[in-house]
Amino acid sequence: MKIGIFFGGQSREREISFAGGRTVFDNLDKAIFEAVPVFVDSLGRFILLDWQYIYKGTIRDFYPPSQYVPSTEEQYQIYIESLAKLSETDLLAIANSVGKVISPQEFNLYMDFAFLALHGPYGEDGNLQGLLEWYNIPYSGSGILPSAIGINKTVQKDLMESHHFPSPKKATLTRDAWSNEQNSTRILDNLVAALGLPLVIKAPNQGSSIGVSILKDRDVPAFEAAVNRSFFIKHIDLKAWQMLPDYARRSELISLIDIREGIGLPAIDEDQNTYYTPQELIQALENAMAAGKATLALTSINSEEEILIESYIAGKEFSCIVIQDEAGQAIALPPTEIVKGSEVFDYRSKYLPGVSRKVTPIRIAAEHITNIRQECARLFDTLHCNVYARIDGFITEKNEIFLNDPNTTSGMLPSSFFFHQAAEIGLNPSQFLSYIIRTSLVERIKTGKRNQTLRAQLAKLDAQLKALHEASEEKIKVAVIMGGFSSERHISVESGRNIYEKLSSSTKYHPIPVFLTGNEEKHELYKLPVNIMLKDNADDIKEKIAVYDQEKNHPVLKAIVKETEAITQKYVAEAITSFQALDYKALASQVDLAFIALHGRPGEDGAVQQELEKYNIPYNGSGYESSQTTINKFETNRILRENGVKVADHFLVSEADWQSNSEAVIAAIESRFNYPIIAKPCDDGCSSAVKKLKNKEELSAFAHLIFRKDILLSAEEAALLKLKRSEEFPLKNVFLVEELIDRKDAAYFLEITGGLLTHFQEDGSIAYEIFEPSETLATGDVLSLEEKFLAGEGQNITPARFVPGKENQSISKQVRAELEKVAKILNVEGYARIDAFVRIDKSGKVDTYIIEVNSLPGMTPATCIFHQCAINNYKPYEFIDAILDFGTKRSKDRIQANI
């Protein structure tokens, strides 16, 4: 069955939709479905997308293509609507450059079924559902009516109140009333009198917590900022703007034009001038300052006409996926408690592993969990939802249940509630997607439109599902080892889950999730059932391991498993239902090979490789000796420098030296380097504790934090280093200080990251396939964790734009040759990622400065290495397959050599 996956879209949630569409594309069972990617651009075009673009980190990385983006020194990324002044012919040519524009009349030529991964307006509001019904394409999820209700929070509230669902007190505020009212103090006083404090201020047609604020106190400026945020209005203080240094202006502008946190582009000022590009906006700010204006007021062209203001509900926050059983009855899956680091479960908390925690089921008495499930199922029926929905809410200390945000489409990232809760009944992502497609077909049949054709389609799908159960093909068993005990453990879990999901939808491999914890002296291995693997992060998994025996008999979970037996049996041929402690010897008896998805120590240090080799378990990546070298940035730099490779000048700071005489250490650093300098751990990656230090005070704060004895951070020093909420800072006994590599007088300067893959040649030697590097654009001092791994956050251009014009490929060839030289010097095998800075002077001379070598690079869905291998025509599964093939061949050769 050809499944058209609709993703992207026109809403502010388009980046999460894009990432969710990629998840669906990768996880559809390859034995019964053919994935057809349909990218919906922000002007509403349907583009049959070339598959390589699916693996870009963000939409802006490929659309509009870089050759159409106005060339400026700052290299801001934009969406296609910033080019809306172009002719229709030009815009159509841009769309066709990344695929093929298709019309709704042509949908039936390319797909049998539409899987909707769109969010917000135009995707989740009934518009697309109606279009698909008009053209006789069955689609996933709810129909037109519940979708239209589900998008509008104000209408939802009225309907819920009429059906006696408890609801917070609410009020609305129109744009006209806000614009015409001169006294925001009076509005606030009226709202506080009617609703009390705190106030929750919402943009009613947005999801992903976009445009949501909580006002705790009667603070008029904070109230004005919150209301403007929900209306997507921004007042820029021009005097404050003028005083900002250039780097801070750039950061502020990036936040301002961000469609999630800012107002986005195009934007309109109070004189109705429209600004499409960042450059036009910068010029408007310059003109306003020159004219002596105090502020510049900007409004998004996609803004709210009315906002919703509610009284605050104190209690535990939860989210619950509701699905339908075979008879069409609503069943609420186990509600998940959201443990936040701030009042708002914001965009970063929702989508970046480790920032918030999801605890399933919610930690309250079983009878109250049952009440939540009953209320969620009742609301599902009240709103006439179909197939599935995500319903959010709160339960107070008095056990009152408030349901506040029914969503007819859920986020579909690997760690989302959608897959997280389905795993509690034993469905992995691939199986759950099969369930969604089949159940949606059943619902579309009920409409009476083309129902005989749809019945034939359903019968064929049922036959295929049955055949999957009866398939006797023996698959290769792969232990996917994830977790660890470093500051990179959450990203490791995200990488491991992604590898598991890519392999589980294949016809060749049977992945087995294995969680590693413990310490450097003793590795603890655990074979995980899928529901434990899909917990929110590494700490949640470790916690569940500790209480597994107690929680496996949770009465609510047992009841739900019983209620959904018919579903599970239809889609699961062979489920891992038990939790099992292992050692490496036991692992060898259960698997054919291993994929190490660990980052930092252990994993990239050779320790796991050494254990696997003892029991002849083939594995991915470099061998023990090479891994032991590349984990150590100081040693890697030393070896590369001795072999003529350019690296940053560096200095190792030990805890003993610091404690003995910190002033002497600082003096030695200051005599060798000029501020700013880079400080980082020697053996961690994922941007863990990598900081640009501008003075002696920041250097001292860095040393105090990394050498501290307590896991807790000093608030004063954390603030000085601008650590984000929930940002981890590892404890080490040494750290590395490096010179800052910057542009100097180079004509072109950029930070790049380049992936590679190795192959065995006929004579047994190793050939290196070096991918086109990606250009990485940091919004701050250094590339952040979010920019590397959070879908929609990083700004990466692949291939890198070293220089304008035809010379770019020649420069790329030189840089790739240097990366290959580095890989050979360090005996890197399998695959890897090498980070570097590149300077190109006016004569065309290229200097490549190596930053670090990652022997087990991140394999999260949004990571650069997938963008790069796609250029060489590897889909992610094919790339992973090639990595495993190399490891298997190397292991066979090693065993034969030892016989």
Side-chain angles (χ1 to χ4, degrees):
M1 185 188 294
K2 292 181 180 178
I3 308 296
I5 304 163
F6 287 72
F7 63 130
Q10 302 181 63
S11 82
R12 292 176 180 272
E13 299 175 82
R14 67 188 70 156
E15 293 289 3
I16 288 304
S17 169
F18 179 72
R22 176 173 54 222
T23 305
V24 177
F25 184 86
D26 280 340
N27 282 279
L28 286 176
D29 194 310
K30 294 172 178 59
I32 55 177
F33 299 120
E34 178 186 341
V36 179
V38 181
F39 171 65
V40 185
D41 79 4
S42 40
L43 297 177
R45 290 183 179 81
F46 300 101
I47 303 171
L48 202 64
L49 194 67
D50 292 346
W51 69 263
Q52 291 91 339
Y53 296 113
I54 293 168
Y55 299 105
K56 298 294 187 181
T58 77
I59 293 168
R60 293 169 299 168
D61 286 348
F62 74 94
Y63 193 74
S66 58
Q67 64 266 32
Y68 295 98
V69 177
S71 180
T72 64
E73 187 175 325
E74 292 295 347
Q75 302 287 9
Y76 293 105
Q77 288 189 305
I78 58 173
Y79 291 104
I80 190 66
E81 57 264 39
S82 285
L83 302 181
K85 289 191 290 185
L86 294 177
S87 69
E88 182 64 23
T89 301
D90 288 339
L91 289 170
L92 192 61
I94 292 172
N96 279 315
S97 72
V98 297
K100 177 185 178 183
V101 175
I102 59 174
S103 66
Q105 295 97 317
E106 297 175 291
F107 285 170
N108 64 352
L109 301 177
Y110 300 102
M111 68 192 76
D112 305 307
F113 181 95
F115 197 106
L116 305 185
L118 295 164
H119 300 296
Y122 304 104
E124 206 174 342
D125 58 359
N127 282 350
L128 184 56
Q129 289 81 356
L131 186 67
L132 290 164
E133 290 203 10
W134 185 265
Y135 288 104
N136 297 314
I137 305 294
Y139 56 87
S140 63
S142 286
I144 300 169
L145 176 63
S147 298
I149 296 169
I151 197 66
N152 191 304
K153 295 180 177 64
T154 305
V155 172
Q156 285 174 15
K157 296 296 179 187
D158 292 340
L159 188 59
M160 289 167 67
E161 285 177 7
S162 71
H163 283 77
H164 310 295
F165 285 94
S167 179
K169 290 182 285 185
K170 72 177 190 300
T172 58
L173 178 63
T174 66
R175 175 184 295 281
D176 288 341
W178 181 244
S179 300
N180 297 330
E181 175 58 55
Q182 300 301 311
N183 193 345
S184 52
T185 301
R186 186 174 65 80
I187 293 179
L188 177 58
D189 287 343
N190 290 341
L191 288 169
V192 171
L195 307 178
L197 284 171
L199 294 173
V200 183
I201 301 166
K202 297 180 176 180
N205 293 301
Q206 307 299 325
S208 295
S209 298
I210 293 171
V212 177
S213 303
I214 294 177
L215 185 75
K216 293 183 179 180
D217 305 309
R218 192 190 166 284
D219 180 334
V220 175
F223 172 67
E224 291 174 342
V227 170
N228 284 334
R229 185 167 183 255
S230 292
F231 277 127
F232 302 103
I233 297 171
K234 181 70 175 179
H235 293 275
I236 301 173
D237 183 327
L238 294 175
K239 186 176 180 181
W241 174 266
Q242 195 166 23
M243 294 176 67
L244 291 174
D246 288 345
Y247 74 87
R249 283 191 186 186
R250 183 176 189 275
S251 181
E252 284 291 313
L253 189 67
I254 287 172
S255 296
L256 177 66
I257 64 176
D258 187 283
I259 57 174
R260 295 150 300 183
E261 294 300 317
I263 60 171
L265 289 175
I268 303 170
D269 68 14
E270 56 265 43
D271 297 323
Q272 299 304 298
N273 298 307
T274 303
Y275 307 108
Y276 289 88
T277 67
Q279 291 73 31
E280 291 176 356
L281 191 51
I282 290 168
Q283 188 60 55
L285 289 164
E286 296 291 336
N287 294 343
M289 286 188 288
K293 289 187 175 182
T295 61
L296 181 66
L298 296 167
T299 304
S300 169
I301 63 164
N302 293 307
S303 53
E304 298 283 350
E305 284 299 313
E306 180 179 78
I307 64 171
L308 181 64
I309 302 155
E310 297 177 339
S311 58
Y312 179 78
I313 302 167
K316 288 181 181 287
E317 187 171 0
F318 64 81
S319 190
C320 185
I321 301 291
V322 182
I323 62 173
Q324 289 177 298
D325 66 11
E326 295 282 287
Q329 298 299 309
I331 299 178
L333 297 179
T336 297
E337 178 183 349
I338 301 159
V339 183
K340 301 168 291 186
S342 66
E343 291 295 335
V344 180
F345 186 45
D346 59 15
Y347 189 91
R348 184 172 185 266
S349 300
K350 283 185 174 180
Y351 302 117
L352 184 65
V355 175
S356 65
R357 294 184 60 219
K358 302 182 181 82
V359 181
T360 307
I362 184 171
R363 295 170 297 184
I364 54 176
E367 63 181 291
H368 301 309
I369 298 176
T370 299
N371 292 340
I372 288 174
R373 294 183 62 229
Q374 289 173 345
E375 282 293 273
C376 288
R378 183 166 77 89
L379 182 57
F380 183 92
D381 289 335
T382 298
L383 300 180
H384 303 283
C385 294
N386 313 122
V387 188
Y388 77 96
R390 196 193 81 232
I391 297 174
D392 302 333
F394 293 86
I395 183 165
T396 69
E397 288 186 358
K398 295 181 180 179
N399 298 313
E400 299 172 290
I401 297 167
F402 291 86
L403 304 180
N404 71 336
D405 195 7
N407 293 270
T408 51
T409 299
S410 175
M412 294 182 188
L413 269 67
S415 59
S416 70
F417 298 112
F418 184 73
F419 297 122
H420 181 90
Q421 293 179 19
E424 294 294 345
I425 63 172
L427 297 182
N428 68 29
S430 180
Q431 293 155 351
F432 192 40
L433 294 174
S434 296
Y435 156 82
I436 294 293
I437 292 168
R438 185 192 183 279
T439 308
S440 298
L441 272 176
V442 171
E443 286 301 310
R444 302 293 87 85
I445 287 170
K446 291 177 183 177
T447 66
K449 300 173 183 175
R450 294 179 67 249
N451 53 338
Q452 294 307 314
T453 302
L454 295 179
R455 283 186 179 280
Q457 207 171 355
L458 180 66
K460 182 178 178 181
L461 177 57
D462 280 343
Q464 291 173 316
L465 289 168
K466 185 178 179 183
L468 284 180
H469 278 276
E470 297 169 353
S472 58
E473 181 185 3
E474 185 65 29
K475 293 185 177 183
I476 299 168
K477 293 183 171 62
V478 184
V480 182
I481 305 175
M482 64 189 82
F485 36 79
S486 76
S487 58
E488 302 173 69
R489 63 195 180 280
H490 302 309
I491 298 301
S492 166
V493 166
E494 197 77 352
S495 288
R497 283 196 288 235
N498 188 42
I499 298 298
Y500 170 88
E501 290 166 6
K502 299 288 191 294
L503 297 180
S504 68
S505 63
S506 77
T507 57
K508 180 177 179 180
Y509 295 104
H510 174 69
I512 296 169
V514 175
F515 183 73
L516 186 150
T517 185
N519 53 49
E520 291 188 14
E521 286 71 42
K522 184 183 179 184
H523 297 173
E524 298 174 15
L525 303 175
Y526 299 93
K527 180 179 174 181
L528 300 178
V530 67
N531 65 317
I532 303 297
M533 181 196 73
L534 286 177
K535 294 302 176 189
D536 197 43
N537 59 54
D539 293 345
D540 284 345
I541 293 173
K542 186 175 179 180
E543 182 182 289
K544 289 298 179 184
I545 287 170
V547 296
Y548 182 81
D549 289 336
Q550 299 165 245
E551 292 201 349
K552 66 181 180 181
N553 292 316
H554 192 292
V556 174
L557 293 182
K558 288 181 73 173
I560 295 172
V561 168
K562 184 70 176 173
E563 288 175 49
T564 56
E565 258 180 353
I567 295 173
T568 306
Q569 287 171 2
K570 180 183 287 289
Y571 299 96
V572 181
E574 183 183 352
I576 301 173
T577 56
S578 61
F579 160 82
Q580 181 185 357
L582 299 167
D583 56 22
Y584 286 102
K585 183 178 180 181
L587 184 68
S589 68
Q590 297 191 30
V591 302
D592 301 303
L593 68 158
F595 194 105
I596 310 169
L598 300 163
H599 307 310
R601 294 181 186 271
E604 286 191 87
D605 60 352
V608 173
Q609 290 86 339
Q610 212 170 18
E611 293 297 326
L612 294 173
E613 285 181 15
K614 286 181 187 176
Y615 299 100
N616 293 323
I617 304 174
Y619 59 83
N620 56 304
S622 292
Y624 163 69
E625 291 180 355
S626 176
S627 300
Q628 199 175 41
T629 299
T630 55
I631 189 67
N632 187 324
K633 294 181 177 70
F634 182 82
E635 184 67 9
T636 297
N637 281 0
R638 184 190 65 77
I639 293 170
L640 292 178
R641 181 182 282 111
E642 288 177 356
N643 283 272
V645 175
K646 289 183 173 64
V647 295
D649 187 18
H650 60 223
F651 184 92
L652 199 62
V653 180
S654 72
E655 182 177 9
D657 288 345
W658 183 267
Q659 302 299 355
S660 174
N661 191 340
S662 60
E663 288 300 321
V665 173
I666 291 171
I669 291 170
E670 290 180 337
S671 69
R672 187 162 174 175
F673 305 102
N674 294 319
Y675 292 109
I677 55 177
I678 298 295
K680 57 188 174 184
C682 280
D683 58 355
D684 271 346
C686 297
S687 296
S688 175
V690 179
K691 296 296 171 185
K692 181 180 177 181
L693 308 180
K694 301 175 183 67
N695 50 51
K696 176 179 176 179
E697 290 71 30
E698 291 185 0
L699 173 59
S700 294
F702 186 96
H704 289 153
L705 288 181
I706 208 159
F707 293 147
R708 71 193 186 280
K709 300 302 179 189
D710 194 329
I711 195 69
L712 296 175
L713 300 177
S714 156
E716 183 179 344
E717 289 166 340
L720 184 62
L721 295 180
K722 297 181 175 61
L723 301 188
K724 294 186 177 76
R725 174 173 54 84
S726 302
E727 183 175 345
E728 293 196 21
F729 208 92
L731 292 163
K732 301 288 182 179
N733 56 19
V734 293
F735 71 89
L736 199 60
V737 171
E738 291 183 343
E739 67 169 317
L740 175 69
I741 304 294
D742 57 15
R743 176 186 285 268
K744 295 196 184 300
D745 57 354
Y748 302 98
F749 176 74
L750 60 164
E751 182 177 355
I752 60 110
T753 180
L756 63 88
L757 180 64
T758 65
H759 309 273
F760 282 111
Q761 300 189 96
E762 288 186 9
D763 63 0
S765 62
I766 293 176
Y768 287 81
E769 182 179 5
I770 310 296
F771 300 142
E772 284 285 352
S774 299
E775 174 185 352
T776 61
L777 305 175
T779 55
D781 289 334
V782 296
L783 202 63
S784 69
L785 185 69
E786 293 94 324
E787 288 170 321
K788 282 189 176 183
F789 299 111
L790 175 54
E793 282 293 301
Q795 298 183 64
N796 302 293
I797 308 297
T798 310
R801 302 166 298 180
F802 293 103
V803 295
K806 61 183 180 181
E807 296 300 317
N808 196 66
Q809 190 56 38
S810 171
I811 302 290
S812 172
K813 187 176 180 181
Q814 292 179 61
V815 172
R816 284 183 283 127
E818 192 69 6
L819 300 184
E820 181 173 352
K821 176 182 175 181
V822 168
K824 288 178 175 177
I825 290 168
L826 298 170
N827 197 28
V828 170
E829 292 181 353
Y831 69 119
R833 194 190 78 231
I834 303 174
D835 300 336
F837 289 108
V838 178
R839 281 194 194 127
I840 304 148
D841 69 18
K842 292 172 184 173
S843 70
K845 181 175 176 289
V846 180
D847 288 323
T848 303
Y849 289 82
I850 302 302
I851 304 171
E852 63 179 289
V853 177
N854 296 272
S855 62
L856 293 174
M859 298 288 271
T860 64
T863 194
C864 281
I865 204 163
F866 289 133
H867 318 169
Q868 296 166 14
C869 70
I871 291 176
N872 285 23
N873 217 34
Y874 295 99
K875 292 179 180 176
Y877 165 73
E878 293 163 347
F879 180 51
I880 296 163
D881 185 37
I883 291 167
L884 291 173
D885 277 348
F886 180 89
T888 302
K889 175 75 164 57
R890 178 181 57 191
S891 181
K892 287 179 180 175
D893 290 348
R894 184 187 295 119
I895 292 169
Q896 288 176 355
N898 292 331
I899 293 175

